[in-house]
C-alpha cells in the first residue's frame, strides 16, 4: 500500500445546520431538504441517495416549508415571501411577497395549479401557478390566529388547516370554513398552554390526521368533523406527519426524537373494518424530528441533529439489498476543503466565511502507526468573511497558495495572497472579466496560472491570472446543450486536460492547449461523484454514485483494458454495499498505477498492477496480509487496498512531498455542539 | 438381587403446581392445576384443595376446559393419554388413548429428536370410557412447548421464529432476524380473543404486538417495553381490552389494548412470574410463580388468595428433614426461611423466618442463606446455620438455636451464636438420645475443629437457659467432614478425611479410630436397632465400608459410588443412592445381611443429593419381601430438577384408587339393574341416611355414591348437548385434515408406525426433557 506521512487534521470545525423541512417528489424521486441556514439540498433517491444539488442559503432567508409542484420546487419562510428555486442555475428564481406576515406552511394541490400558503395573520392565501411565475388569486376566510399547517384533500376541493387549539376545514371553491375541529389541550399543568397543531394530513377517505404540541396524534372524520381516535405518542410535541402514497401508513415525528408509525389494518382476517393502529417506533435521532417523508419503501426523517436518516420499511423491500440498509447521511457529498498541494495550505469553506490554514510540520522518523513530534503547529492564516447576504457556494485556493477565490449566488471574488515571511497580505482583485459573474464550481490549474469556473449551461470559463489584470481567455462549451450545472471540475497536472461533470451524468473533456472540446465520455446512468486525471498516463478515472469505477483513456478516447476487465469481473459486493459515495480521487505521481480515493469511512488505494479481487475473497484483507509470510502475501493480495483508520473523513489530498493530508470531522464533535435534546430516554421510564 | 417388581417412582405430595398454566372454572370458583401425576382442584376463595383428580400414570402436561361443557376438563399427560374429568365432583369420564386435542397445549415427541410436534386429533364419538383416537395429523413439527391458539389460527414461537398456522389456509413463518447484540428470542406468545393480533414476549423484556400477519411480508408490529428482563408470560383478558404480562420482576403489568401508554402495575408478588391466566369472565387473574405458588388476583388490584405448594428454589442447601413433632417435611423455603410442609395433607404448614432480614430481589447480590438445620430427637430444639460469603469479605456465620414454644406452637429463637466457627460448617448433628436433659449439638467445620454445644441452665438467671460451647475437639489438624451420633447417644463418630474417630459424648474422650484409606469419608451412619453395633461410611473412592464397633474392625466393604447414604430411623434398613452413568440407582439393605432388600435401577437421571425417610402415619402391612422396607416409612428424594419423588407400592396405589373404584362398580350395578327391580327411591334414601348415622368412615363413600347418581343424570343431559355440538365437529376436522395435507407433509407410514411405537413406550423420560 505504501507508506505516507499523514497530517491528521481535526481543526476544521464544520457544523452542519439542522434540517427544517423536506419534500419528496415521487415522480422524479428527488428529495428536497431545507436546512436552518436557508440552504436547500436535492437528493436523488433513484441514484443511491446522491446529493445532486445544493442551493446555498442567504442571511434571513430561513425556509419553513417546501413543496414540489411537478418538477418545480417552491419554498416559503418567515420572511413572508414565496420563492421558486431555479434548479438549473442553483439559485432562487424569483420571490413573491404574500403580504400576510411570516409564512408557516405551503402546500400545492394534486393538480398542480394552485398553491396555498398559511400566514401569521390567519389567512390562507391561494396562488395560481403560471408557467413562469405565480399569481395571487384570493384569500380564504380569515381566521383568528396563525395558520401552522395545511393539507389539501386529494380531490382539491377541501383544505385542512392546523391552527392554535383547532383545525379548520375550508372549501377551496367558496373559501368558506366548513368545519371547526377543536383540539384538546394537554392534561395537568399544560392545560393553560394553548396547543399548536404542528402538522395535519388530509386523506382521500376524508380522514384528517393531526399532530399537535400536546403530544397527540389524532384521527378525525372529515365528513362530520368528529374525533375518531387519539393516540398519546409523547409527552412533548408531535412536530411532523407524513403519509405513504397508498395512504395505508402514517408516520409521526416527535421532539422526543422518535418516529412512530401508524398503519391502517384490519383487526381480523377477511374483514374490511380497517382502523388506524399504532405499530412500529423508530429511534434513529438524538434530537427533535422536524421533517418527515414517507416514500414507497422507507421513512426519511431529519431534524435538529442535522442527519438525514433513511429508514427502510423491511416489509416493503427485499432483504440484503442496497435499499434494505439504514442510511444516515451526515456529511455533504461535495468537498468543503481545498488543499494547496505545493504550498501546504488548507482552505476550509463555511457558509459565512473562509479559513486558510498552514499545515504543521513534524520532525524525525517513526515506524508505521507512530505519531511524530510536531515541530510547528498548524496556524490559521486568514479568516475571510464573505460580503453580502448570500452564503458561499464554492471556493478554491491555487496550488501555489497565491490565489484564493470564492463564489456566491450573486458573484465571484478573487483574492491575491502574498506571503512575506510572517506577514500575510490579502488583496482583492478588483477587475474581473464580466463572464465570471457566477460559478458552480471553481478550480485552478496546477501551475496556478489559470482559473476555471463552471458557469451556466455546463460551460466552463477560463481566466488567465495575472497580478495586474485577469483576462477572460475562453469559454468552453459542451455540444450536448445540457442545462444542468457542473458539479465536478478536474485539471490534469500537465495542464493539458480539463474534465467537467454535470448532474446529467455527462463528463466532458477539454483540450486546454487547443481550447476546445476533446471528447465526451460515454454517459453512464449514475451520476459521477469524483473524477481524476492520471498525471502520467492521462487516463480519466470516474467513480459514480452506484460505486462503479471506470478508467477512460483520453488518447484513445475509449475505456482502457483495465476498466473493461473490471466491468467484466464486476466489483466486489462489499465495495458495492458501501453507503457513502467516493468524494475525491488523487494519484501518486511516483507510482502511476495507484489510484488514491476516499469516502467518509475509508481510504482506498487501487493498485492497477495487481489482480482484481474475487467475490468470495475478503475485500478488507490488509490485517490478514500483514500476518502472512512474504511469498504467501503476494499471492493473496489484490488491487483494492483499504484503510479504515480514518473515520468521518472529509478530505484526503496527497501533497507534493508525498505526505497525505486527512481532514476528519468526528461525528461526536458535531453532536457535542448541538443543543441539549428535549428528553433523554432513561432506563425503565 | 431382588427385583423391584411393583414398586414405582411417583410424584406424591410437594409436586410443582407451577409446571403448567392453571385453569379457572367458568364460575371463577375453582382453580385447576397440574400437579405431578394428578390434577388438583382448589377453591379460589378458601385456598383449600377440593379434589385430587387421580388416574394419570405420568406427569400431567396440560389442562383445558371442554369448550362445549364448562364443567368438564381435559388433561393430557406424559403417559400418552388424554382424560376428560368432571372437576366439580372429581370423576373421570373418559380416557382417550394418545390423542392430543386441538387447541390443547399438548406435547408429543418422537424419541429420536428433542422436538415437540403439535398434532391434531379427531375425537371419535363413542360411549365407552376408553377411546382410542386413530386419526392424528401433524400440524406443526418442531413446535415450542407452549403455543397459543384462538379461533382460526395457532401461533407458536420458538427461538427467533414465530409460526402462525391457519386452520383454513396454510402456514406462514414470521421470522425475526437476530440483530447484532439483540436478545430478541421469543419467550412466550398469546393471541387476542377477537382481533388478529399476536402478542409475543422477548428475552430482552420487550413485548411485540404482531398484526396483519395474514398477508405475506406485509406483517407489522408495535413494541411495548417495560420489563427489564425476559417476559415469561403474556395473557389477554377475555374481552381483549387488556394485556397482562409478567416476568422475573414479579410485577404484574396490565397494558390497555390499543392504548399502550397507559399501564397498571401490581408489584411485590413474590417469586418470578411464570404463568398468567384469566378466568373466563375476566374477574380473576391468577399468576404462577417460580416458588411454586399460585396467586389469585381480583381484577389486577387485590391479591385475594395464595395457593402455596412446596417451595422449590434452585437448590436446597439444608438436608431434607422430618419435624418429629408435626411429621412435616422441613427444608429451605423462601430465601432465609425454613418451610414446614405436610406431606400427608400436601400443604405448606408455615414458614419459619430464620435470617430475619429483608431479602432483596437482585441478581448477584450475596445475602444470608440457611445452609444447615437439625432437629433433636423430641423435636423441641432446632438448630440452624446461616451464612453469607461476599466476594472479598470474610465469611459471616450464625448458629441459631430455636426452642419449640408449646403456647404459640412455633419455634422461638433461644440463642444466636455469631461466628461459631472460623470457617464453613461442614456438618451438624443433635444427639439422638431420647432424654432431653443432656441435649448436645455437635458441629464440624473447615477450621479443623469440631465443637459440642450444650444447653446450660444456670448461666443467666434472667434470660433463662441458653446454649454455649462445651468442648472443642480436633484430630491431627485434619478437617472434620461429617459427624453422627449413635441411636442411644452413647457414641459420636466424627470423620477427619480418611480417619473415623469415635468419641464418648459424656466424657469427650477419644475412644478409637477407624481407618480405611485411601479416600476421604463422605457419609457416616450408625446402624439402628439390631444393627446398632455397625457404623457405615462411604468414601471418596467409591467404597462403602461397614465397621463393627464391638471388634473395632472392618466387617465388610464393597465398591459403589454412593452419593447419599441414610438410615431409616424406625428400622434397620439403610438406603444408598448410587450415581452411575448419569443415572441414580437405589439400594436398600440391612448392614447385617449380605443381600440388598431392594434395588431399583435408574430411579431418576442425575445425582440425588437429598433424601429422607418420612415415618408413615399408619403402617402398611405388606408381606412381600421387596416392599417390606416401605412399611414403616416412606422414602422421599429430590431429583436434580428439584422434583420431590417417592416410592409407592402397587398395594398402596390400589388403596388410593380403591375408594373411587368401589363407588364406580356399585354405581354401575345400581344403574344397570332395571328400574322396576330396584327398591323405591325413598327406601334407598332412608338406607343412605341411616348409613350416614352409623359410621363416619363409610359416610364419605356413601356420599360419593349419591353424588355419583346425580352425576349420572347430569351426564345424560350432557351427552345430549354433545349430540348437538357434534354436527359442527367433523367439518372442522375435515378442514384440519385438508390443511395438513396441503402444507405439512402427511405422515409417512414409517412415521405413523414410529408414533404407534412411542405410544406404547414408557413416558417417564419425557418429564426429564420437560424440565430442560
Amino acid at each position: 500500500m505504501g507508506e505516507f506521512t499523514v497530517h491528521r487534521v481535526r481543526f476544521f470545525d464544520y457544523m452542519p445546520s439542522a434540517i427544517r423541512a423536506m419534500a419528496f417528489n415521487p415522480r422524479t424521486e428527488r428529495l428536497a431538504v431545507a436546512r436552518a441556514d436557508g440552504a436547500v439540498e436535492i437528493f436523488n433517491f433513484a441514484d443511491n441517495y446522491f446529493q445532486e444539488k445544493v442551493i446555498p442559503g442567504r442571511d434571513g432567508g430561513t425556509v419553513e416549508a417546501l413543496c414540489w409542484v411537478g418538477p418545480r420546487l417552491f419554498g416559503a419562510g418567515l420572511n413572508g415571501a414565496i420563492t421558486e428555486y431555479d434548479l438549473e442555475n442553483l439559485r432562487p428564481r424569483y420571490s413573491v411577497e404574500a403580504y400576510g406576515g411570516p409564512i408557516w406552511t405551503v402546500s400545492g394541490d394534486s393538480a398542480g395549479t394552485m398553491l396555498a400558503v398559511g400566514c401569521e395573520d390567519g389567512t390562507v392565501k391561494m396562488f395560481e401557478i403560471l408557467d413562469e411565475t405565480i399569481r395571487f388569486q384570493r384569500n380564504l376566510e380569515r381566521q383568528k390566529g396563525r395558520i401552522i399547517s395545511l393539507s389539501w384533500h386529494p380531490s382539491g376541493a377541501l383544505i385542512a388547516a392546523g391552527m392554535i387549539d383547532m383545525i379548520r376545514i375550508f372549501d377551496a371553491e367558496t373559501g368558506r370554513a366548513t368545519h371547526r375541529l377543536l383540539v384538546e389541550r394537554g392534561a395537568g399543568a399544560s392545560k393553560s398552554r394553548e396547543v399548536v397543531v404542528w402538522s395535519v394530513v388530509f386523506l382521500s377517505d376524508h380522514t384528517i390526521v393531526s399532530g399537535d404540541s400536546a403530544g397527540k396524534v389524532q384521527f378525525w372524520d372529515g365528513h362530520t368533523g368528529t374525533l375518531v381516535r387519539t393516540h398519546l405518542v409523547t409527552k412533548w410535541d408531535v412536530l411532523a406527519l407524513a403519509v405513504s402514497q397508498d395512504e395505508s401508513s402514517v408516520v409521526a415525528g416527535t421532539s422526543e426524537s422518535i418516529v412512530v408509525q401508524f398503519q391502517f389494518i384490519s383487526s381480523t382476517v377477511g374483514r374490511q373494518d380497517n382502523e388506524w393502529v399504532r405499530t412500529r417506533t423508530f429511534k434513529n435521532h438524538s434530537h427533535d424530528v422536524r421533517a418527515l417523508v414517507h416514500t414507497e419503501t422507507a421513512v426519511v426523517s431529519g431534524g435538529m441533529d442535522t442527519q438525514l436518516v433513511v429508514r427502510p420499511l423491511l416489509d416493503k423491500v427485499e432483504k440484503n439489498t442496497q435499499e434494505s440498509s439504514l442510511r444516515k447521511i451526515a456529511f455533504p457529498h461535495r468537498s468543503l476543503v481545498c488543499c494547496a498541494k505545493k504550498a501546504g495550505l488548507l482552505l476550509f469553506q463555511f457558509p459565512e466565511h473562509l479559513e486558510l490554514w498552514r499545515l504543521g510540520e513534524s520532525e524525525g522518523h517513526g515506524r508505521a502507526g507512530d505519531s511524530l513530534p510536531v515541530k510547528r503547529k498548524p496556524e490559521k492564516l486568514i479568516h475571510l468573511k464573505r460580503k453580502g447576504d448570500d452564503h458561499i457556494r464554492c471556493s478554491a485556493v491555487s496550488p501555489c497558495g497565491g490565489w484564493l477565490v470564492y463564489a456566491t449566488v450573486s458573484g465571484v471574488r478573487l483574492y491575491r495572497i502574498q506571503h512575506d515571511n510572517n506577514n500575510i497580505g490579502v488583496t482583492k482583485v478588483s477587475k474581473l472579466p464580466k463572464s465570471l459573474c457566477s460559478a458552480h464550481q471553481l478550480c485552478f490549474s496546477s501551475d496556478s496560472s489559470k482559473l476555471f469556473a463552471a458557469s451556466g449551461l455546463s460551460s466552463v470559463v477560463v481566466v488567465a491570472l495575472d497580478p495586474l489584470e485577469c483576462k477572460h481567455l475562453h469559454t468552453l462549451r459542451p455540444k450536448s446543450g445540457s442545462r444542468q450545472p457542473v458539479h465536478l471540475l478536474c485539471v490534469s497536472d500537465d495542464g493539458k486536460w480539463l474534465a467537467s461533470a454535470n448532474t446529467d451524468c455527462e463528463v466532458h473533456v477539454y483540450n486546454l492547449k487547443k481550447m476546445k472540446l476533446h471528447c465526451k465520455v460515454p454517459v453512464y446512468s449514475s451520476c459521477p461523484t469524483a473524477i481524476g486525471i492520471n498525471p502520467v498516463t492521462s487516463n480519466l478515472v470516474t467513480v459514480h454514485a452506484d460505486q462503479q469505477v471506470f478508467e477512460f483513456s483520453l488518447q484513445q478516447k475509449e475505456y482502457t483494458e483495465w476498466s473493461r476487465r473490471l466491468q467484466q469481473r464486476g466489483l466486489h459486493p462489499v465495495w458495492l454495499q458501501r453507503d457513502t459515495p467516493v468524494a475525491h480521487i488523487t494519484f501518486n505521481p511516483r507510482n502511476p498505477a495507484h489510484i488514491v480515493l476516499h469516502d467518509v469511512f475509508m481510504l482506498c488505494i487501487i493498485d492497477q498492477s495487481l489482480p482484481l479481487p474475487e467475490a468470495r475473497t475478503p475485500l478488507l484483507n490488509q490485517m490478514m496480509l500483514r500476518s502472512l509470510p512474504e511469498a504467501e502475501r503476494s499471492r493473496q493480495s489484490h488491487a483494492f487496498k483499504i484503510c479504515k483508520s480514518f473515520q468521518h473523513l472529509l478530505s484526503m489530498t496527497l501533497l507534493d512531498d508525498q505526505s497525505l493530508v486527512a481532514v476528519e470531522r468526528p461525528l461526536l464533535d458535531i453532536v457535542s455542539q448541538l443543543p441539549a435534546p428535549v428528553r433523554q430516554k432513561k432506563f425503565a421510564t | 438381587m431382588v427385583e423391584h417388581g411393583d414398586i414405582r417412582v411417583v410424584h406424591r405430595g410437594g409436586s410443582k403446581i407451577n409446571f403448567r398454566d392453571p385453569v379457572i372454572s367458568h364460575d371463577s370458583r375453582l382453580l385447576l392445576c397440574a400437579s405431578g401425576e394428578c390434577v388438583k382442584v382448589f377453591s379460589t376463595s378458601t385456598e383449600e384443595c377440593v379434589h385430587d383428580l387421580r388416574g394419570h400414570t405420568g406427569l400431567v402436561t396440560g389442562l383445558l376446559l371442554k369448550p362445549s361443557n364448562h364443567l368438564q376438563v381435559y388433561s393430557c399427560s406424559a403417559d400418552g393419554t388424554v382424560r376428560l374429568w368432571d372437576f366439580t365432583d372429581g370423576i373421570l369420564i373418559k380416557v382417550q388413548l394418545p390423542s392430543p386435542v386441538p387447541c390443547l397445549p399438548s406435547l408429543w415427541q418422537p424419541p429420536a429428536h428433542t422436538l415437540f410436534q403439535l398434532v391434531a386429533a379427531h375425537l371419535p364419538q363413542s360411549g365407552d370410557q376408553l377411546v382410542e383416537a386413530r386419526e392424528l395429523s401433524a400440524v406443526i413439527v418442531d413446535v415450542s412447548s407452549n403455543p397459543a391458539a384462538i379461533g382460526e389460527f395457532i401461533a407458536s414461537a420458538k427461538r427467533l421464529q414465530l409460526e402462525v398456522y391457519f386452520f383454513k389456509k396454510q402456514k406462514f413463518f414470521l421470522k425475526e432476524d437476530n440483530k447484532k447484540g439483540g436478545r430478541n428470542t421469543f419467550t412466550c406468545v398469546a393471541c387476542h380473543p377477537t382481533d388478529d393480533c399476536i402478542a409475543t414476549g422477548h428475552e430482552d423484556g420487550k413485548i411485540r404486538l404482531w398484526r396483519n400477519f395474514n398477508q405475506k411480508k406485509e406483517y407489522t408490529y408495535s413494541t411495548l417495553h417495560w420489563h427489564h428482563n425476559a417476559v415469561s408470560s403474556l395473557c389477554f383478558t377475555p374481552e381483549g381490552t387488556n394485556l397482562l404480562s409478567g416476568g422475573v420482576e414479579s410485577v404484574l403489568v396490565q397494558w390497555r389494548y390499543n392504548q399502550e401508554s397507559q399501564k397498571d402495575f401490581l408489584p411485590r408478588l413474590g417469586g418470578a412470574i411464570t404463568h398468567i391466566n384469566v378466568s373466563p369472565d375476566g374477574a380473576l387473574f391468577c399468576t404462577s410463580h417460580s416458588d411454586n405458588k399460585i396467586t389469585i388476583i381480583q381484577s389486577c388490584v387485590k391479591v385475594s388468595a395464595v395457593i402455596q405448594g412446596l417451595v422449590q428454589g434452585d437448590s436446597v442447601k439444608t438436608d431434607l428433614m422430618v419435624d418429629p413433632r408435626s411429621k412435616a417435611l422441613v427444608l429451605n423455603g423462601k430465601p432465609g426461611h425454613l418451610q414446614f410442609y405436610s406431606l400427608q395433607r400436601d400443604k405448606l404448614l408455615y414458614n419459619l423466618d430464620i435470617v430475619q432480614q429483608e431479602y432483596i430481589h437482585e441478581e448477584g447480590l450475596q445475602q444470608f442463606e440457611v445452609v444447615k438445620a437439625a432437629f433433636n430427637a423430641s423435636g423441641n430444639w432446632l438448630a440452624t446455620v446461616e451464612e453469607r460469603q461476599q466476594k472479598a469479605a470474610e465469611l459471616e456465620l450464625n448458629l441459631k438455636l430455636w426452642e419449640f414454644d408449646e403456647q404459640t406452637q412455633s419455634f422461638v429463637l433461644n440463642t444466636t451464636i455469631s461466628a461459631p466457627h472460623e470457617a464453613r460448617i461442614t456438618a451438624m448433628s443433635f444427639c439422638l438420645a431420647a432424654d432431653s436433659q443432656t441435649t448436645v449439638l455437635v458441629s464440624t467445620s473447615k477450621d479443623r475443629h469440631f465443637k459440642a454445644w450444650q444447653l446450660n441452665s444456670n448461666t443467666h438467671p434472667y434470660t433463662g437457659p441458653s446454649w454455649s460451647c462445651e468442648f472443642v475437639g480436633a484430630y491431627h489438624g485434619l478437617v472434620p467432614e461429617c459427624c453422627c451420633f449413635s441411636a442411644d447417644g452413647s457414641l459420636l463418630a466424627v470423620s477427619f478425611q480418611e480417619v473415623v474417630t469415635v468419641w464418648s459424648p459424656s466424657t469427650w474422650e477419644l475412644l478409637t479410630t477407624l481407618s480405611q484409606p485411601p479416600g476421604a469419608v463422605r457419609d457416616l451412619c450408625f446402624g439402628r436397632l439390631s444393627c446398632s453395633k455397625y457404623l457405615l461410611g462411604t468414601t471418596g473412592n467409591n467404597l462403602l465400608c461397614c465397621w463393627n464397633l464391638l471388634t473395632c474392625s472392618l466387617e465388610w466393604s464393597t465398591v459403589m459410588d454412593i452419593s447419599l447414604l441414610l438410615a431409616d430411623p424406625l428400622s434397620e434398613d439403610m438406603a444408598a443412592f448410587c450415581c452411575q452413568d448419569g443415572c441414580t440407582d437405589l439400594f436398600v439393605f440391612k448392614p447385617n445381611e449380605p443381600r440388598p432388600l431392594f434395588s431399583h435401577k435408574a430411579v431418576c437421571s442425575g445425582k440425588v443429593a437429598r433424601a429422607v425417610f418420612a415415618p408413615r402415619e399408619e403402617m402398611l402391612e405388606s408381606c412381600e419381601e421387596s416392599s417390606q422396607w416401605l412399611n414403616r416409612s416412606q422414602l422421599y428424594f429430590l431429583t436434580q430438577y428439584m422434583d420431590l419423588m417417592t416410592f409407592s407400592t402397587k398395594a398402596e396405589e390400589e388403596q388410593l384408587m380403591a375408594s373411587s373404584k368401589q363407588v364406580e362398580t356399585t354405581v354401575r350395578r345400581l344403574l344397570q339393574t332395571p328400574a322396576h327391580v330396584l327398591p323405591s327411591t325413598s327406601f334407598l334414601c332412608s338406607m343412605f341416611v341411616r348409613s350416614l348415622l352409623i359410621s363416619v368412615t363409610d359416610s364419605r363413600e356413601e356420599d360419593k355414591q349419591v353424588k355419583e347418581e346425580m352425576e349420572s343424570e347430569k351426564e345424560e343431559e350432557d351427552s345430549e348437548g354433545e349430540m348437538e355440538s357434534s354436527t359442527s365437529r367433523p367439518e372442522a376436522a375435515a378442514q384440519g385434515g385438508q390443511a395438513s395435507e396441503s402444507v405439512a407433509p402427511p405422515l409417512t407410514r414409517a412415521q405413523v408406525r414410529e408414533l404407534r411405537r412411542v405410544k406404547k413406550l414408557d413416558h417417564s423420560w419425557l418429564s426429564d426433557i420437560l424440565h430442560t
Side-chain angles (χ1 to χ4, degrees), chain A residues 469-601:
Chain A
E469 197 194 357
C470 293
K471 264 198 329 207
H472 173 240
L473 286 183
H474 199 79
T475 303
L476 301 166
R477 291 183 203 281
K479 285 185 183 136
S480 67
S482 167
R483 303 179 65 85
Q484 292 295 324
V486 168
H487 68 291
L488 293 170
L489 271 183
C490 166
V491 191
S492 66
D493 271 2
D494 56 9
K496 191 180 173 192
W497 308 105
L498 172 75
S500 77
N502 67 13
T503 43
D504 261 347
C505 308
E506 295 171 341
V507 180
H508 294 101
V509 181
Y510 303 95
N511 187 331
L512 292 176
K513 294 277 172 345
K514 296 177 185 165
M515 283 295 174
K516 65 177 226 189
L517 182 69
H518 177 69
C519 64
K520 182 177 158 191
V521 179
V523 175
Y524 182 65
S525 61
S526 179
C527 194
T529 64
I531 54 177
I533 298 171
N534 193 321
V536 178
T537 61
S538 291
N539 290 339
L540 174 76
V541 178
T542 60
V543 187
H544 296 261
D546 62 355
Q547 312 293 359
Q548 290 294 342
V549 181
F550 293 97
E551 191 187 37
F552 188 79
S553 167
L554 297 183
Q555 261 102 25
Q556 267 94 46
K557 298 189 183 178
E558 63 179 20
Y559 286 121
T560 62
E561 187 57 35
W562 182 81
S563 180
R564 286 169 204 272
R565 226 161 355 112
L566 186 65
Q567 288 305 312
Q568 267 167 14
R569 172 71 61 86
L571 279 151
H572 195 279
V574 175
W575 175 270
L576 294 175
Q577 275 160 22
R578 294 176 311 116
D579 59 357
T580 52
V582 167
H584 193 62
I585 301 174
T586 49
F587 296 90
N588 187 355
R590 303 228 180 129
N591 198 339
H594 282 186
I595 308 169
V596 184
L597 36 80
H598 80 91
D599 68 8
V600 174
F601 297 106

Side-chain angles (χ1 to χ4, degrees), chain A residues 229 231-232 261 263 265-270 275 277-280 314-319 683-684, chain B residues 152 166 169 175 177 194-197 211-212 214 217-223 226 228 258-259 261:
Chain A
R229 192 73 218 261
H231 291 272
L232 191 65
Q261 189 187 13
Q263 278 175 287
I265 46 183
S266 68
S267 58
T268 39
V269 179
E275 56 181 349
V277 182
R278 176 180 171 167
T279 55
R280 281 168 276 203
L314 291 177
D315 51 339
K316 308 275 191 206
V317 294
E318 286 300 316
K319 268 189 182 171
F683 174 68
Chain B
E152 288 170 345
F166 286 88
K169 289 190 269 174
K175 198 173 170 188
D177 292 323
T194 53
D195 287 2
D196 281 348
C197 174
R211 289 191 179 86
N212 221 24
N214 52 338
K217 255 184 98 193
E218 295 273 298
Y219 63 85
T220 178
Y221 63 86
S222 52
T223 310
W226 180 85
H228 66 76
N258 269 340
Q259 217 162 350
S261 53

Side-chain angles (χ1 to χ4, degrees), chain B residues 426-438:
Chain B
T426 52
M428 188 168 69
S429 175
F430 266 107
C431 177
L432 294 171
D435 57 330
S436 55
Q437 298 300 316
T438 55

Side-chain angles (χ1 to χ4, degrees), chain B residues 20-21 61-64 76 100-108 115-120 139-151 153-159 161-167 171 186-192 198-201 232-235 275-277 770:
Chain B
R20 281 292 139 93
D21 292 82
T61 53
L63 285 176
L64 184 79
C76 65
V101 184
C103 313
L104 184 67
S106 52
L107 311 166
W108 199 253
L115 296 180
F116 288 110
Q117 222 178 26
L118 186 71
V119 289
V139 175
I140 308 178
V141 186
D142 188 15
V143 76
S144 79
S145 64
N146 230 344
I150 192 88
F153 56 87
I154 285 187
S156 155
K158 191 172 189 189
R159 277 179 235 114
Q161 194 159 308
L162 177 69
E163 283 184 29
V164 182
Y165 176 87
F166 286 88
F167 293 128
K171 153 158 73 167
F186 289 100
T187 53
C188 52
V189 59
C191 296
H192 193 276
I198 300 174
T200 58
S232 57
S233 187
L234 282 171
C235 184
H275 304 288
I276 300 173
N277 283 83
L770 291 179

Side-chain angles (χ1 to χ4, degrees), chain B residues 500-519:
Chain B
V500 179
T501 59
V502 184
W503 306 71
S504 159
S506 50
T507 57
W508 296 116
E509 191 186 348
L510 178 62
L511 296 175
T512 182
T513 60
L514 307 163
S515 166
Q516 185 64 29

